Amino acid sequence: MVKLLLGLILLGNGANILIFLMGDIAKGHPPIISKDASIFTQMYADPVPQALILTAIVISFGLQSFAIILLKRVYQMTKSDNLDTLKPHEVDI
Amino acid sequence: MTDNLLILPIFAHLLIAVLLIFAWGRVNIQRVISILGHFLVLLVSIQLFRKTWFAGILTMQAGAWKAPFGITFVSDTLSATFVLLTAIAGLGVGIFSMVGISRSRMQFGYFPISHFLLMGLNGAFLAGDIFNLYVWFEIVIISSFVLMTLGGKKPQMEGAIKYVALNMLASTVFLTAIAILYGLTGTLNMADLSQKVAQIEKKELVSVTSLLFFIGFGIKSAVFPLYFWLPSSYHTPPSVIAATFGGLLTKMGVYAMLRTFTLIFIPDPFTQNVLIACAIMTMFTGAMGALNKTSIRRMFSYLIICHIGYLIGGLGLHTQVALSAVVFYLIHDIIIKTNIFLATGIIHKIRGSTDIRRLGGFYEEYPKLSLLMAIIFFSLIGVPPLSGFWPKIGLFQASLDANAYVLLGAFIMASFFTLYIIAKMWSEVFWKDLPKRPEETNEFTELPFYKQTLLVVPVLGLALVSLYIGLGAENILAVSNRIALNMIDTGYYVNAVLNK
């Protein structure tokens, strides 16, 4: 189960970094239009990916903390951290 | 047309959920607030549908930021129909859950979480921005995680692991696809994406990205070969929660697929073939899975998968007739799938089991209730003139028009197996003599009359809605035809959002 968790966390972070790379990276060019111009005249850093990553990090943090608690509960109940031993139950609740 | 009131269905659920949190643990107050809330949302949704129907399309730009830059909410006929269906199914589930869910689950926040879930669904249907759609998806899945594990029984937790892991994977794939799409186009607004994606020269990149979206949404909507989490988790939570999940959650995935594959990515022949192949396998495996199950909840879980195949197949054909039939089928399916799980909840209350080996004699003891359930199951099978019949005719016709005979065969086979599975279930549960069982618990007859009514009324109400969908098919067809027309002609949506 720990491996499952590590995998999910790595995947989430990988996706975040991908967003970061997909926005054009331009060092030292803040997205501010200079006083004497009305439009951008040169390359600028795209501010949108920051907002996207921030949202995505918060969301994946929430999901991952839920998953950690869930896996811990399952471990306490089944006394095993092997996913293969979990059997589908034909029971009713 | 700009209309800032279109977020009311989202906002109303948020307000109710917050109010419910203030009444944490006080179950009776929560019951009243929740049920009033469901009625309020239904009224708001009807109003939204009425306005959208007359205006054609409504938009709202958050913070008055102009379209491609800010977050846009759009209510076209498709969105408004889904919001209305969610409100109807939500009201049915809400009434049923007054009695159908244990007190301890209510004390641990069943009501607020279920309203958060419905808020997320409404948000996803009204979002006009692909990243915003992702955020609403996350709200829905985190709420569904809590509902899935609420109560903390062992099988529930074990089912939840698969559910949580696969859904987190789906979200990550969805996010990856958004990242690549943003890298390609530099925009997130769906109307703007529709225009910019059409201009991209490297069509291969677009195809790959669109298939990433297909994988992300495919996991959520349980498409072959990504459906394994569904049958191993949907039978574990209480019937009410399974009804919400079965009726609405998988359909949200299909909605997202409909949106992306008609507005943003117009499927090329290759993508169409992928969709159709997946649809055929989904129908086949769903039907085969349902055949050997002994618990009716598990049978119905596989039937959900089987019927998702219809929707994906229709989307793969991508003609106006097919899309219209897909939308009609979705309208029918949301109501009917919610209802069969609620009906299962009543059977479980009466017999204390959902295993067909321990069920029987239902028709003898409860003839009226059995007749009501017969209407539901007949609609599910699609006996003319009930609601499942009309969209299937459309799908058959569309696959004949496109010379897709294998798909046509799969549609017919899936209909036949649905008939066989329901007939088998009917003879086991309703006609067979009740087998000798050690314990005789009948929670249903021990309940006071008003509580029994609360359990039967939502099933009756949703059955009446199904009857209306079947008998008033020309009205539903008018709605679905208009949606399909707007799906084929994307310019209408794009122009309305970008204010051209």
Side-chain angles (χ1 to χ4, degrees):
Chain A
M1 282 197 257
V2 181
K3 286 180 194 161
L4 173 73
L5 202 62
L6 286 176
L8 287 175
I9 293 173
L10 278 177
L11 260 176
N13 283 322
N16 291 344
I17 293 174
L18 182 72
I19 304 177
F20 183 63
L21 289 174
M22 280 298 167
D24 299 327
I25 299 174
K27 203 177 166 192
H29 297 287
I32 297 169
I33 302 170
S34 56
K35 266 185 194 156
D36 46 344
S38 59
I39 50 164
F40 284 113
T41 48
Q42 56 178 7
M43 222 178 135
Y44 64 98
D46 188 352
V48 177
Q50 289 186 22
L52 303 188
I53 295 176
L54 197 59
T55 317
I57 287 175
V58 174
I59 289 171
S60 59
F61 176 76
L63 290 178
Q64 283 156 11
S65 30
F66 183 89
I68 292 171
I69 304 286
L70 174 72
L71 292 176
K72 182 162 176 261
R73 285 285 297 165
V74 175
Y75 175 69
Q76 284 174 340
M77 280 175 168
T78 59
K79 299 287 172 219
S80 154
D81 72 342
N82 187 355
L83 285 174
D84 295 335
T85 56
L86 300 180
K87 292 186 289 287
H89 288 252
E90 294 269 352
V91 288
D92 315 310
I93 295 176
Chain B
M1 200 176 112
T2 305
D3 185 346
N4 291 342
L5 291 180
L6 80 86
I7 56 161
L8 268 184
I10 308 172
F11 188 70
H13 272 305
L14 177 67
L15 195 74
I16 298 153
V18 172
L19 277 179
L20 285 167
I21 288 175
F22 278 108
W24 189 266
R26 273 170 282 179
V27 171
N28 285 333
I29 301 177
Q30 284 193 330
R31 279 190 176 125
V32 175
I33 298 176
S34 169
I35 206 76
L36 289 178
H38 279 300
F39 275 109
L40 174 74
V41 173
L42 182 63
L43 287 181
V44 170
S45 306
I46 291 173
Q47 176 69 4
L48 177 70
F49 182 79
R50 212 179 56 80
K51 272 201 280 189
T52 311
W53 183 253
F54 290 120
I57 191 164
L58 300 173
T59 56
M60 191 201 99
Q61 316 287 355
W65 284 86
K66 281 255 169 347
F69 303 110
I71 290 171
T72 313
F73 286 90
V74 185
S75 165
D76 64 348
T77 321
L78 179 64
S79 308
T81 310
F82 268 81
V83 169
L84 183 61
L85 288 169
T86 309
I88 294 171
L91 178 65
V93 170
I95 297 172
F96 195 92
S97 62
M98 298 291 114
V99 185
I101 201 157
S102 65
R103 204 179 166 82
S104 55
R105 282 197 174 92
M106 289 183 188
Q107 277 169 340
F108 281 98
Y110 166 75
F111 287 120
I113 299 295
S114 65
H115 280 280
F116 277 126
L117 181 95
L118 293 172
M119 175 191 82
L121 284 169
N122 281 344
F125 297 144
L126 292 173
D129 178 292
I130 196 120
F131 194 77
N132 203 230
L133 180 69
Y134 165 77
V135 175
W136 291 117
F137 260 80
E138 299 305 296
I139 291 173
V140 170
I141 67 167
I142 191 94
S143 314
S144 70
F145 291 170
V146 178
L147 286 183
M148 188 112 219
T149 50
L150 202 64
K153 299 223 167 109
K154 196 175 155 193
Q156 236 183 321
M157 295 307 233
E158 293 178 356
I161 286 194
K162 292 159 194 151
Y163 182 73
V164 169
L166 262 297
N167 272 290
M168 282 177 75
L169 184 66
S171 311
T172 316
V173 175
F174 183 17
L175 188 62
T176 312
I178 293 176
I180 295 174
L181 194 61
Y182 183 75
L184 285 174
T185 59
T187 181
L188 293 165
N189 185 298
M190 291 205 249
D192 202 24
L193 277 172
S194 170
Q195 290 184 319
K196 294 224 168 110
V197 167
Q199 291 162 4
I200 295 175
E201 307 225 325
K202 290 181 190 158
K203 290 292 172 219
E204 320 81 65
L205 266 178
V206 176
S207 286
V208 171
T209 320
S210 75
L211 288 180
L212 272 178
F213 276 105
F214 178 62
I215 293 170
F217 298 143
I219 296 177
K220 282 180 201 290
S221 55
V223 172
F224 178 87
L226 312 161
Y227 66 78
F228 295 97
W229 56 272
L230 191 147
S232 56
S233 63
Y234 266 28
H235 66 291
T236 58
S239 298
V240 189
I241 295 173
T244 322
F245 286 10
L248 295 168
L249 285 204
T250 45
K251 307 306 176 296
M252 179 184 70
V254 177
Y255 165 83
M257 227 183 273
L258 276 179
R259 198 50 109 195
T260 43
F261 280 95
T262 56
L263 184 64
I264 302 175
F265 307 107
I266 313 298
D268 52 8
F270 172 73
T271 319
Q272 282 188 332
N273 285 336
V274 170
L275 286 172
I276 288 174
C278 285
I280 291 170
M281 287 312 290
T282 309
M283 283 185 265
F284 184 72
T285 46
M288 289 299 133
L291 280 179
N292 68 347
K293 295 291 169 285
T294 52
S295 159
I296 46 177
R297 294 259 304 264
R298 279 172 79 87
M299 262 184 213
F300 292 156
S301 301
Y302 272 101
L303 279 185
I304 293 178
I305 299 170
C306 178
H307 296 160
I308 290 288
Y310 286 124
L311 304 168
I312 308 301
L315 179 62
L317 290 172
H318 208 273
T319 58
Q320 197 184 333
V321 180
L323 288 174
S324 169
V326 167
V327 172
F328 199 135
Y329 200 88
L330 266 170
I331 295 171
H332 146 80
D333 211 39
I334 288 178
I335 301 295
I336 210 80
K337 287 289 180 334
T338 312
N339 211 356
I340 56 173
F341 276 95
L342 291 183
T344 318
I346 293 183
I347 294 174
H348 183 241
K349 275 259 185 266
I350 290 173
R351 290 281 188 252
S353 172
T354 56
D355 192 324
I356 52 172
R357 287 168 300 191
R358 298 169 64 198
L359 293 170
F362 211 85
Y363 185 71
E364 202 175 20
E365 274 183 62
Y366 298 92
K368 283 181 208 151
L369 208 53
S370 301
L371 280 178
L372 174 60
M373 291 182 188
I375 296 176
I376 305 169
F377 293 127
F378 277 11
S379 303
L380 176 69
I381 300 165
V383 177
L386 296 173
S387 60
F389 171 69
W390 307 108
K392 278 183 193 165
I393 290 292
L395 286 171
F396 291 174
Q397 194 199 337
S399 42
L400 274 178
D401 291 345
N403 293 328
Y405 297 113
V406 182
L407 184 64
L408 178 68
F411 282 145
I412 294 171
M413 179 218 68
S415 303
F416 175 74
F417 275 109
T418 309
L419 170 67
Y420 174 76
I421 289 154
I422 295 295
K424 180 179 138 192
M425 191 275 311
W426 182 264
S427 67
E428 292 276 348
V429 176
F430 291 85
W431 280 351
K432 184 181 74 179
D433 288 334
L434 184 62
K436 288 261 184 300
R437 299 185 307 159
E439 86 278 31
E440 278 297 326
T441 48
N442 189 337
E443 286 179 48
F444 190 71
T445 43
E446 286 165 15
L447 292 171
F449 180 71
Y450 80 95
K451 285 194 174 176
Q452 293 183 355
T453 317
L454 280 178
L455 287 177
V456 176
V457 160
V459 178
L460 178 67
L462 290 178
L464 288 179
V465 175
S466 282
L467 273 182
Y468 173 75
I469 295 173
L471 301 177
E474 71 274 13
N475 301 337
I476 309 292
L477 208 59
V479 175
S480 68
N481 277 337
R482 184 158 140 186
I483 294 171
L485 193 69
N486 288 351
M487 279 177 173
I488 296 286
D489 172 28
T490 54
Y492 183 66
Y493 182 97
V494 174
N495 291 343
V497 173
L498 298 179
N499 263 336
K500 280 194 180 150

